[in-house]
Amino acid sequence: MSKIKSTSTRYMVLSELFRSKGAIIGFSIVILVSILSVYAVIVYPPSVVTRIWSDPEYWRDKPVLALPEWYSSLFGLNLPPNIVLDTRKQDSRILKYTVSLNEYTEHEITFTFDYDYDAFPSEINAYVYAKFKKNPLITITFIRPDGREINLWSGTITQNESFIILSNSPIAKKNVQEYLFNTFGEYVSDPTTEVVLFAVEKRGMDKPNTAEVLKSAGKSYKIKIRGTFFEKDSSLDVKLIIYGKIWGLLGTDDRRRDLLIPLMWGAPIALSFGISLSVITSLLHMFLGS
């Protein structure tokens, strides 16, 4: 008899629970937070989060202050994602060849890509992975779909793994200023490099609020990287990143970090806080009720 009564009581409680929309929503949130908490601990354990969260090298491939990927679709925008081209991986958009002559070796890499988005990239950077003993000379040329070529960067590298900033590099900015002066006969003091590279050639192409994106429309962009090495035993690989405006489920912060991680780690904290508060409240009711 007691078992029947207990079963009937549980049934009534559950029946009453699922009649209330607020209770259903609350119960669903608890289940969701619980699942998210378990997932966060498994995928991003505390030791991993502590290590990567303050490590800028881990996040360097992500765009700064990117919007979530779904934002572009939700509002009908055509925002650019990251475009990553890496010679260490098979990619039909990459052409690479090497020529050796006496004590010199020429490495040339051509990256070909389309750009049909409505917004400009946020940055352009290149990661160079090279093998050498004598510092090689690296030159980077940007070729637009309209046929215009811009000698973007040139210089020597001193480390086997080098990071070449193309957007804010003084060398790149100076070359862009020269391109604008030769085209329009005017000196521009502070052009935005990535905007000029991807803009329709007209006055005002140096600023994002006045420039118009030059879309591929069947004609691709190209970036040529040539390395002159003063030895036979050498190699050159490059990872080129054209940073977009959208990334991931929740976007990134000003340090390129994935904002999904703090959200996931907020779930177990919120869950533990909620459970602790519920236990304390129950104990207080029991104590005061007695």
Side-chain angles (χ1 to χ4, degrees):
M1 186 71 179
S2 60
K3 288 184 178 179
I4 296 174
K5 186 176 180 180
S6 176
T7 303
S8 177
T9 302
R10 285 198 296 267
Y11 176 78
M12 289 177 62
V13 170
L14 290 174
S15 178
E16 192 65 29
L17 175 67
F18 287 106
R19 282 181 185 177
S20 170
K21 291 183 179 180
I24 294 173
I25 293 172
F27 186 71
S28 301
I29 291 174
V30 170
I31 295 297
L32 178 62
V33 171
S34 301
I35 294 172
L36 193 59
S37 300
V38 174
Y39 180 79
V41 173
I42 294 173
V43 177
Y44 292 106
S47 58
V48 174
V49 173
T50 303
R51 176 175 55 83
I52 68 174
W53 191 249
S54 57
D55 181 11
E57 290 295 314
Y58 183 85
W59 305 105
R60 67 182 187 178
D61 291 357
K62 312 293 187 295
V64 175
L65 295 174
L67 294 167
E69 290 181 354
W70 50 263
Y71 183 91
S72 184
S73 302
L74 182 64
F75 292 98
L77 303 175
N78 188 21
L79 299 177
N82 270 17
I83 299 174
V84 181
L85 299 165
D86 193 338
T87 58
R88 297 169 300 175
K89 299 179 180 179
Q90 285 292 112
D91 195 325
S92 60
R93 299 171 295 175
I94 301 173
L95 180 63
K96 179 181 178 181
Y97 74 87
T98 301
V99 176
S100 295
L101 180 63
N102 297 327
E103 295 300 319
Y104 296 91
T105 304
E106 288 281 345
H107 299 277
E108 185 170 291
I109 300 168
T110 302
F111 297 104
T112 303
F113 60 94
D114 293 329
Y115 196 90
D116 292 303
Y117 304 101
D118 294 335
F120 294 99
S122 57
E123 292 176 85
I124 307 173
N125 292 326
Y127 300 90
V128 178
Y129 307 92
K131 177 185 176 183
F132 59 87
K133 292 180 180 178
K134 300 176 182 178
N135 297 344
L137 174 65
I138 304 294
T139 60
I140 302 176
T141 304
F142 191 91
I143 305 173
R144 295 155 46 93
D146 57 10
R148 296 299 300 269
E149 295 189 11
I150 301 174
N151 296 320
L152 192 57
W153 192 91
S154 63
T156 58
I157 57 174
T158 58
Q159 298 178 346
N160 294 101
E161 292 189 12
S162 300
F163 178 44
I164 301 177
I165 301 174
L166 297 177
S167 292
N168 297 318
S169 163
I171 298 173
K173 194 173 286 287
K174 182 180 178 181
N175 289 334
V176 166
Q177 287 174 326
E178 184 178 337
Y179 160 75
L180 291 171
F181 183 81
N182 292 336
T183 304
F184 302 108
E186 296 177 356
Y187 174 77
V188 179
S189 61
D190 189 27
T192 306
T193 301
E194 62 273 11
V195 172
V196 174
L197 296 177
F198 287 86
V200 174
E201 193 173 82
K202 62 180 182 179
R203 294 184 184 278
M205 66 182 294
D206 58 299
K207 301 296 181 185
N209 58 338
T210 56
E212 178 186 348
V213 177
L214 176 63
K215 297 183 179 181
S216 297
K219 296 181 180 180
S220 300
Y221 282 89
K222 292 183 179 181
I223 295 179
K224 285 189 176 182
I225 300 179
R226 176 173 292 178
T228 302
F229 290 72
F230 306 101
E231 55 202 300
K232 284 188 175 181
D233 187 18
S234 64
S235 64
L236 176 65
D237 281 295
V238 178
K239 181 179 182 180
L240 177 72
I241 303 180
I242 300 162
Y243 294 86
K245 296 289 181 70
I246 54 174
W247 192 87
L249 189 62
L250 292 179
T252 61
D253 65 7
D254 59 344
R255 297 184 181 181
R256 308 180 189 274
R257 298 177 297 193
D258 186 358
L259 292 177
L260 181 61
I261 293 179
L263 175 68
M264 288 197 305
W265 263 100
I269 294 172
L271 185 63
S272 60
F273 179 79
I275 292 173
S276 301
L277 188 61
S278 299
V279 170
I280 292 171
T281 304
S282 299
L283 291 174
L284 286 173
H285 282 180
M286 290 172 60
F287 178 75
L288 295 175
S290 61

